Amino acid sequence: MAYDLGLNIDAQPINDMSRLSDEDIDARRVTFWGCFLFDKCWSNYLGRQPQVQISNVTVKKPEVFPSEDSEMWSPYTDAGIIQANAQPARTRAVALQISKLAEISGDILVSFYNPQLLEKPLAKQAELKKLSDIHTRLEAWKTDLPSELDAKESQLPQ
């Protein structure tokens, strides 16, 4: 459905014709990347290739708005909202980073579940290179995480 609605296409260059507001363009962007993430999670759960391929995507990843990300968030538990653990929401920063991670995840899924590779497997050297490249991308993603999103032992990310 995301493809049917054209959410995978960056609306900014064609906006003169559609007259979408900046908020509408942002909503399309966030919605698409949510669909992209869901596709990767569902594919991982089912053990199948993802349906949404990055080669069909021109829409930009979500933007981070510091004023929005600095709004306070508190965890909700069975006892209600716990203000003692209140922290900046960082909703946009998380959305951006999880979009980047979902892109890498899609490449991992394609590597594992590509039916063409079952018929004609890669040479061992090529397979090791591919795994090394994915590992390098994962390490770079983790290194590039903003410090406030870095997980620390026994606490929520700040």
Side-chain angles (χ1 to χ4, degrees):
M1 182 183 243
Y3 282 152
D4 293 337
L5 294 172
L7 298 178
N8 59 310
I9 306 298
D10 187 5
Q12 198 72 44
I14 58 172
N15 195 31
D16 291 338
M17 292 180 282
S18 62
R19 296 187 183 111
L20 293 171
S21 68
D22 289 342
E23 291 80 15
D24 288 340
I25 290 173
D26 184 60
R28 289 173 54 88
R29 185 179 295 150
V30 169
T31 301
F32 171 76
W33 285 103
C35 293
F36 188 86
L37 173 63
F38 185 80
D39 176 62
K40 303 312 168 255
C41 292
W42 192 245
S43 296
N44 195 26
Y45 175 75
L46 294 176
R48 295 186 178 162
Q49 283 199 37
Q51 298 303 300
V52 180
Q53 299 297 325
I54 197 67
S55 60
N56 297 326
V57 176
T58 62
V59 68
K60 298 174 186 169
K61 291 184 176 66
E63 293 181 54
V64 176
F65 301 131
S67 60
E68 187 177 320
D69 270 17
S70 63
E71 292 176 7
M72 294 308 286
W73 171 86
S74 298
Y76 188 83
T77 67
D78 291 339
I81 296 174
I82 311 248
Q83 292 296 334
N85 293 329
Q87 62 184 20
R90 303 202 199 306
T91 307
R92 294 290 188 135
V94 170
L96 175 61
Q97 294 303 323
I98 207 161
S99 297
K100 291 177 180 181
L101 188 59
E103 196 172 336
I104 298 169
S105 172
D107 291 343
I108 293 170
L109 290 164
V110 168
S111 295
F112 278 108
Y113 300 117
N114 188 339
Q116 294 170 339
L117 294 178
L118 295 175
E119 296 169 10
K120 187 179 176 189
L122 292 174
K124 197 60 145 177
Q125 193 65 25
E127 187 175 346
L128 289 173
K129 166 110 176 68
K130 191 177 229 183
L131 287 172
S132 176
D133 290 346
I134 289 173
H135 181 263
T136 300
R137 288 173 61 202
L138 286 168
E139 287 292 330
W141 174 83
K142 186 177 184 310
T143 301
D144 292 343
L145 272 178
S147 60
E148 62 270 7
L149 295 182
D150 194 23
K152 296 170 183 57
E153 192 173 324
S154 73
Q155 76 177 46
L156 294 171
Q158 299 296 317

